[in-house]
Amino acid sequence: MEWAKSYQENQITIVYDTMWNGTRKMAEAITEGIRSKDKDVDVKLFNCAKRDKNDIITEIFKSKMVLVGSSTINNGILTAAAGILEMMKGMKFTNKKAAAFGSYGWSGESVKIITEQLKEAKFDVVNEGIRELWNPDEEALERCREFGRNLI
Ligand SMILES: Cc1cc2nc3c(=O)[nH]c(=O)nc-3n(C[C@H](O)[C@H](O)[C@H](O)COP(=O)(O)O)c2cc1C
């Protein structure tokens, strides 16, 4: 099924994990930014700690771009996000763009870690990602909307 690896629809999937909803708010603001620039693209948002991993992988399979978000925990990323990234690596998808995002408190490694893993999974990483401190304020959310607009 070689053809299947590079299959895509006009869809962007945003997958995130969060402890206190900071990264969720970032995901929602990025979604707003994308939708404000492109009314036709189907944007789907998933909390990977709550949704079935296989359903999420199916949505990623259909997507032309995937955004993966996690806050930083103990200099690393949340386990549900790590699990999805591991599955993404195993699927050997091709022809898909990607970027990372996440909230942090001080050291903020998560965006860098996700970006590296996306590269390892052979996604075409389009930028260095976006990170915001703690629960994002209105200025931070506006940066996230801008980030979303720039993806289009
Ligand atoms: C157990 C725990 C460990 C954390 N470790 C780190 C860390 O190593 N580096 C960092 O920058 N922030 C760390 N943080 C702070 C979180 O990244 C920060 O609170 C962030 O806003 C949480 O975003 P979320 O609501 O999307 O989970 C930690 C928070 C908790 C609760």
Side-chain angles (χ1 to χ4, degrees), residues 101-120:
F101 65 96
S103 172
Y104 72 108
W106 48 95
S107 54
E109 291 91 342
S110 67
V111 168
K112 210 169 222 170
I113 292 169
I114 293 167
T115 298
E116 284 312 308
Q117 297 205 11
L118 288 169
K119 286 180 185 166
E120 263 182 59

Side-chain angles (χ1 to χ4, degrees), residues 105-146:
W106 48 95
S107 54
E109 291 91 342
S110 67
V111 168
K112 210 169 222 170
I113 292 169
I114 293 167
T115 298
E116 284 312 308
Q117 297 205 11
L118 288 169
K119 286 180 185 166
E120 263 182 59
K122 308 290 184 215
F123 281 69
D124 174 16
V125 175
V126 294
N127 60 40
E128 56 206 39
I130 183 169
R131 58 179 201 172
E132 294 293 349
L133 271 171
W134 306 113
N135 223 295
D137 61 12
E138 182 46 38
E139 264 178 46
L141 292 175
E142 184 48 35
R143 282 191 292 271
C144 293
R145 290 185 201 105
E146 176 71 12

Side-chain angles (χ1 to χ4, degrees), residues 18-23 71-72 74-75 103-108 134:
T18 184
M19 295 183 280
W20 299 317
N21 290 324
T23 303
S71 46
T72 299
N74 301 330
N75 307 109
S103 172
Y104 72 108
W106 48 95
S107 54
W134 306 113

Side-chain angles (χ1 to χ4, degrees), residues 7-151:
Y7 175 82
Q8 56 176 235
E9 296 178 13
N10 189 20
Q11 178 174 326
I12 298 176
T13 297
I14 305 181
V15 183
Y16 68 91
D17 195 0
T18 184
M19 295 183 280
W20 299 317
N21 290 324
T23 303
R24 177 176 67 81
K25 287 179 191 159
M26 291 181 72
E28 288 167 355
I30 293 167
T31 303
E32 285 169 25
I34 293 170
R35 287 191 174 137
S36 73
K37 264 304 241 338
D38 184 347
K39 304 262 176 286
D40 297 324
V41 66
D42 200 3
V43 187
K44 294 192 181 173
L45 200 55
F46 297 96
N47 178 330
C48 58
K50 295 187 175 167
R51 297 291 293 267
D52 182 81
K53 282 195 180 61
N54 294 305
D55 291 349
I56 294 172
I57 286 292
T58 303
E59 296 302 328
I60 290 174
F61 165 71
K62 284 161 51 186
S63 300
K64 61 180 183 181
M65 186 187 292
V66 183
L67 306 180
V68 179
S70 168
S71 46
T72 299
I73 180 163
N74 301 330
N75 307 109
I77 65 175
L78 293 166
T79 54
I84 281 290
L85 285 162
E86 183 66 16
M87 285 179 85
M88 287 166 71
K89 212 179 298 176
M91 293 303 291
K92 299 187 165 57
F93 293 126
T94 59
N95 195 30
K96 293 192 194 300
K97 297 190 164 101
F101 65 96
S103 172
Y104 72 108
W106 48 95
S107 54
E109 291 91 342
S110 67
V111 168
K112 210 169 222 170
I113 292 169
I114 293 167
T115 298
E116 284 312 308
Q117 297 205 11
L118 288 169
K119 286 180 185 166
E120 263 182 59
K122 308 290 184 215
F123 281 69
D124 174 16
V125 175
V126 294
N127 60 40
E128 56 206 39
I130 183 169
R131 58 179 201 172
E132 294 293 349
L133 271 171
W134 306 113
N135 223 295
D137 61 12
E138 182 46 38
E139 264 178 46
L141 292 175
E142 184 48 35
R143 282 191 292 271
C144 293
R145 290 185 201 105
E146 176 71 12
F147 180 83
R149 291 193 289 272
N150 288 336
L151 292 169

